Amino acid sequence: MNTLFVTYTLDNNTIDYPILSSKLKSFPDWIKLFNRAWIIKTSLASRRVRDELDDIIGSRGRIVVINITDSPWATAQIDEDILIWMKKNI
């Protein structure tokens, strides 16, 4: 299972935010870090996730998907629930 960091922005189109959020929540496990920063667990590769999200937003935004499976990480001022999820899943 891959752990992927996903962040995106949309160009003045708030209609796509709920659709994109629903898509990210459809992955086997996920956590929303910030407004447009998520970590998801999936068997899919980074490119495949990018392509699926790009199908939703197309030229109306930008997407970055980075595989962080087993990567070292550090946080500051993060909610306890998020920190627990990260310890379990990264």
Side-chain angles (χ1 to χ4, degrees):
M1 194 68 86
N2 293 316
T3 304
L4 305 177
F5 174 78
V6 178
T7 188
Y8 62 90
T9 186
L10 294 173
D11 300 330
N12 298 321
N13 188 345
T14 58
I15 294 169
D16 291 322
Y17 284 112
I19 299 167
L20 205 49
S21 291
S22 291
K23 177 62 182 174
L24 290 163
K25 290 177 182 177
S26 75
F27 289 100
D29 206 356
W30 56 270
I31 192 82
K32 185 175 181 180
L33 297 173
F34 307 110
N35 282 342
R36 291 167 191 89
W38 299 64
I39 300 174
I40 62 170
K41 297 281 286 191
T42 179
S43 59
L44 302 177
S46 301
R47 286 182 178 196
R48 177 69 184 268
V49 171
R50 180 215 46 211
D51 292 346
E52 288 187 13
L53 298 176
D54 192 50
D55 286 345
I56 296 169
I57 68 171
S59 63
R60 298 179 307 278
R62 292 167 298 286
I63 303 164
V64 174
V65 180
I66 302 170
N67 189 327
I68 60 170
T69 306
D70 298 324
S71 294
W73 55 274
T75 63
Q77 311 299 326
I78 297 295
D79 291 338
E80 186 68 22
D81 292 342
I82 294 172
L83 192 56
I84 290 168
W85 189 97
M86 291 175 71
K87 286 178 180 178
K88 179 181 171 190
N89 290 287
I90 300 177

